[in-house]
Coordinates of all heavy atoms in Angstrom, one line a residue:
Chain B
L239 N 1.1 18.2 -2.3 CA 0.0 19.0 -3.0 C -1.3 18.5 -2.5 O -2.3 19.3 -2.4 CB 0.1 18.8 -4.5 CG 1.2 19.5 -5.1 CD1 2.2 18.7 -5.7 CD2 0.7 20.6 -6.1
P240 N -1.6 17.2 -2.2 CA -3.0 16.8 -1.7 C -3.4 17.7 -0.5 O -4.5 18.1 -0.3 CB -2.7 15.4 -1.3 CG -1.6 14.9 -2.0 CD -0.7 16.0 -2.4
E241 N -2.4 17.9 0.4 CA -2.7 18.6 1.6 C -2.5 20.1 1.4 O -3.4 20.9 1.6 CB -1.9 18.1 2.7 CG -2.3 18.5 4.1 CD -1.2 18.2 5.1 OE1 -0.5 17.2 4.9 OE2 -1.1 18.8 6.1
G242 N -1.3 20.5 1.0 CA -0.9 21.9 0.7 C -1.3 22.8 1.8 O -2.1 23.8 1.6
E243 N -0.9 22.6 3.1 CA -1.4 23.4 4.2 C -1.1 24.9 4.1 O -2.0 25.6 4.6 CB -1.0 22.8 5.5 CG 0.5 22.6 5.6 CD 0.8 22.1 7.0 OE1 0.0 21.8 7.8 OE2 2.1 22.1 7.3
P244 N 0.1 25.3 3.7 CA 0.3 26.7 3.8 C -0.6 27.6 2.9 O -1.1 28.6 3.3 CB 1.7 27.0 3.3 CG 2.4 25.6 3.4 CD 1.1 24.7 3.1
E245 N -0.9 27.2 1.6 CA -1.7 28.1 0.8 C -2.8 27.4 -0.1 O -3.8 28.0 -0.1 CB -0.7 29.0 0.0 CG 0.0 28.3 -1.3 CD 1.2 27.6 -0.8 OE1 1.6 27.7 0.4 OE2 1.8 26.8 -1.6
I246 N -2.5 26.3 -0.7 CA -3.5 25.7 -1.4 C -4.4 24.8 -0.5 O -3.9 24.3 0.5 CB -3.1 24.9 -2.6 CG1 -2.0 23.9 -2.3 CG2 -2.5 25.9 -3.8 CD1 -1.5 23.1 -3.3
V247 N -5.6 24.7 -0.9 CA -6.6 23.9 -0.1 C -6.6 22.5 -0.5 O -6.7 22.2 -1.7 CB -8.0 24.6 -0.2 CG1 -9.0 23.8 0.6 CG2 -7.9 26.1 0.2
G248 N -6.7 21.6 0.4 CA -6.6 20.2 0.2 C -7.9 19.4 0.3 O -9.0 20.1 0.5
F249 N -8.0 18.2 0.2 CA -9.1 17.4 0.2 C -9.9 17.4 1.6 O -11.0 17.1 1.6 CB -8.8 15.9 -0.2 CG -7.9 15.2 0.8 CD1 -8.5 14.5 1.8 CD2 -6.6 15.3 0.7 CE1 -7.7 13.8 2.7 CE2 -5.8 14.6 1.6 CZ -6.3 14.0 2.6
H250 N -9.1 17.7 2.7 CA -9.8 17.6 3.9 C -10.2 19.0 4.5 O -10.3 19.2 5.8 CB -9.0 16.8 5.0 CG -7.6 17.2 5.0 ND1 -7.1 18.4 4.8 CD2 -6.5 16.3 5.1 CE1 -5.8 18.4 4.8 NE2 -5.3 17.1 5.0
V251 N -10.5 19.9 3.6 CA -10.8 21.2 4.0 C -12.1 21.3 4.9 O -12.2 22.1 5.8 CB -10.9 22.2 2.8 CG1 -12.0 21.8 1.9 CG2 -11.1 23.6 3.2
E252 N -13.0 20.4 4.6 CA -14.3 20.4 5.4 C -14.2 19.5 6.6 O -15.3 19.3 7.3 CB -15.4 19.9 4.5 CG -15.7 20.8 3.2 CD -16.4 22.0 3.5 OE1 -16.4 22.4 4.7 OE2 -17.0 22.6 2.6
Y253 N -13.1 19.0 7.0 CA -13.0 18.1 8.1 C -12.4 18.9 9.3 O -11.6 19.7 9.2 CB -12.1 16.9 7.8 CG -12.8 15.9 7.1 CD1 -12.8 15.9 5.7 CD2 -13.5 14.9 7.7 CE1 -13.4 15.0 4.9 CE2 -14.1 13.8 6.9 CZ -14.1 14.0 5.5 OH -14.8 13.0 4.8
G254 N -13.0 18.5 10.5 CA -12.6 19.1 11.8 C -12.4 18.1 12.8 O -12.7 16.9 12.6
S255 N -12.0 18.5 14.0 CA -11.9 17.7 15.2 C -11.2 16.4 15.0 O -10.2 16.3 14.3 CB -13.2 17.6 15.9 OG -14.1 16.8 15.2
M256 N -11.7 15.3 15.6 CA -11.0 14.0 15.5 C -10.9 13.5 14.2 O -10.0 12.7 13.8 CB -11.7 13.1 16.5 CG -10.9 11.9 16.9 SD -9.4 12.5 17.7 CE -8.3 11.1 17.6
K257 N -11.9 13.8 13.3 CA -11.9 13.2 12.0 C -10.7 13.7 11.3 O -10.0 13.0 10.5 CB -13.2 13.7 11.1 CG -14.4 13.0 11.6 CD -15.4 12.9 10.4 CE -16.7 12.4 10.9 NZ -17.4 13.5 11.6
F258 N -10.3 15.0 11.3 CA -9.1 15.6 10.8 C -7.9 14.9 11.4 O -7.0 14.6 10.6 CB -9.1 17.1 11.0 CG -7.8 17.8 10.5 CD1 -7.7 18.0 9.2 CD2 -6.8 18.1 11.4 CE1 -6.6 18.6 8.7 CE2 -5.7 18.7 10.9 CZ -5.5 18.8 9.6

Side-chain angles (χ1 to χ4, degrees):
Chain B
L239 287 117
E241 188 190 336
E243 53 171 10
E245 71 279 352
I246 53 177
V247 178
F249 63 93
H250 43 37
V251 61
E252 299 284 16
Y253 281 88
S255 71
M256 201 58 202
K257 288 208 188 75
F258 177 77

